[in-house]
Amino acid sequence: MVFIISFWSFPKLGFTIAIHSFALAKQQHQKKRLGVYHEIVIGGLLLSLVGLSFAGFSGLMLFHGYQERFSNNLTYMIAFMGFIKTGTSATSLVRARKLHNPLIQLIKAFNVANAAVAIVLTQFAILSMEHSPVANFSTGLFGLVIGGLIAIGGLWITFKYERRAVKVTH
C-alpha cells in the first residue's frame, strides 16, 4: 500500500509534531524541576540534622564541660579563620541570591552554617586563652542557640521547597 501525502497535510503534521514535542518537553522540564526540589528538600533535612547534632555537642559542652586550653598563636589563627569564613560565606550567600538557583543557595546555606560553627569555636578559643571560668557554659549556650538556628533554617528550606514540589506535581 502506498501512502500519498498531499501538500496540505504537511503543515498539519508539522503542527501536530510541534504540539506533542512541546508537551513532552514541558513534562520532562517538570520532572527535572521536581527532582531538583526533592534534592533541596533532602538537603534542608540534612542541614537540620547538622544543626541538631551541633546543638547536641554544644549541650554536652554546656553541662559537662570541655577542658581544652589554646595557646595565643593558635587562638589568633582560629579567630582569623572564623572571621574569614564568616565574611566569605556571607558575601557568597548574598551573591548567590542574585542567581536564583536554589541548589546554589542550599550550598551557600551549608557554608553559612560552617561559618557559624567556626564563630562558636572562635569564642571558645578566645575565652579559654583568657582562662575564663565561664568558657564552657557561655560557649555551650551559644552553640545551642546557633545549632537551633541552623536546624530551623534547614527546616525552613525543607518546607519552602516541599510546597513548591507539591505545586509542580499538581
Side-chain angles (χ1 to χ4, degrees):
M1 189 188 279
V2 177
F3 292 102
I4 301 173
I5 301 175
S6 69
F7 179 72
W8 298 104
S9 64
F10 279 124
K12 293 177 191 174
L13 180 64
F15 184 69
T16 304
I17 291 173
I19 287 177
H20 285 295
S21 63
F22 176 74
L24 183 63
K26 185 176 179 182
Q27 185 181 26
Q28 288 176 347
H29 179 69
Q30 284 182 342
K31 284 182 182 179
K32 186 177 179 182
R33 279 183 44 202
L34 182 63
V36 168
Y37 287 149
H38 282 300
E39 290 172 2
I40 294 170
V41 166
I42 291 170
L45 290 174
L46 288 175
L47 185 62
S48 295
L49 183 65
V50 165
L52 290 175
S53 64
F54 182 66
F57 285 119
S58 296
L60 286 174
M61 179 181 257
L62 177 66
F63 296 115
H64 297 292
Y66 182 71
Q67 302 302 322
E68 182 68 34
R69 301 291 177 225
F70 296 107
S71 68
N72 290 349
N73 290 335
L74 187 59
T75 300
Y76 296 140
M77 287 188 340
I78 291 171
F80 179 72
M81 293 297 291
F83 293 131
I84 292 295
K85 276 185 182 183
T86 303
T88 57
S89 67
T91 304
S92 65
L93 181 66
V94 170
R95 287 183 181 171
R97 290 185 58 115
K98 294 177 184 176
L99 297 175
H100 301 291
N101 188 337
L103 285 176
I104 292 176
Q105 289 177 352
L106 177 67
I107 291 170
K108 297 306 175 184
F110 272 99
N111 219 3
V112 169
N114 185 15
V117 171
I119 291 298
V120 173
L121 179 62
T122 299
Q123 176 189 357
F124 182 71
I126 291 171
L127 289 176
S128 70
M129 180 185 77
E130 294 295 323
H131 302 291
S132 174
V134 293
N136 287 323
F137 179 78
S138 61
T139 305
L141 189 61
F142 185 50
L144 275 173
V145 170
I146 293 296
L149 289 175
I150 292 170
I152 289 170
L155 289 176
W156 179 75
I157 290 170
T158 299
F159 291 130
K160 176 182 175 183
Y161 287 102
E162 181 65 28
R163 281 188 279 138
R164 289 186 184 179
V166 169
K167 286 180 184 178
V168 168
T169 58
H170 292 294

